[in-house]
Amino acid sequence: MRVLPTLCLLLASIATQAETAQQINQTYVAEAAARQAGFMPSAKRGDTLFRQRFANNDKMPACSSCHTDSPLNAGQHVITGKSIRPLAVAANPERFADPAKVEKWFGRNCKEVVGRACTPAEKADFVAYMSEVR
């Protein structure tokens, strides 16, 4: 049967396109280090960013507004009511596997919650936290 080899090749192709949170974070770390010599990501700063309340949006003042106080839990968008899968890699391994999706959601969420684009350092810290939280 030729179906099995074809299926194996397809699955291998898909697997090679996926990246790990660490690989994606390396890009943010490199960008941040280019702006700030010696930059090292901090899960503690990522946790602080996740919990920080911003004055940009009354309905979504913090990431935890939609994502709950624990990134290990599923959340719900406070405006649309749409279910949101957990942010933490331990609870949702696909969360930081696609660089385009990661950038898309940082773009939307930083603008809505923080009120501006997040810096590469903030992204690196955030991904570091989401990779370490258990």
Side-chain angles (χ1 to χ4, degrees), residues 5 15 30 32 36-37 45 47 52 69-70 86 91 100 106-107 120 125 128-129:
Q36 177 186 347
R45 286 192 310 258
D47 180 25
Q52 184 175 345
D69 286 334
S70 173
F106 268 131
D125 291 341
Y129 172 57

Side-chain angles (χ1 to χ4, degrees), residues 49-103:
L49 179 65
F50 176 72
R51 297 176 194 297
Q52 184 175 345
R53 296 181 70 78
F54 297 90
N56 182 57
N57 187 327
D58 291 342
K59 292 183 180 179
M60 291 182 281
C63 301
S64 58
S65 300
C66 295
H67 293 285
T68 79
D69 286 334
S70 173
L72 294 164
N73 296 332
Q76 184 176 26
H77 195 279
V78 295
I79 296 172
T80 67
K82 181 182 173 187
S83 174
I84 303 171
R85 293 187 63 204
L87 279 174
V89 174
N92 181 5
E94 296 90 33
R95 175 58 76 180
F96 295 98
D98 182 334
K101 284 184 181 179
V102 171
E103 265 306 292

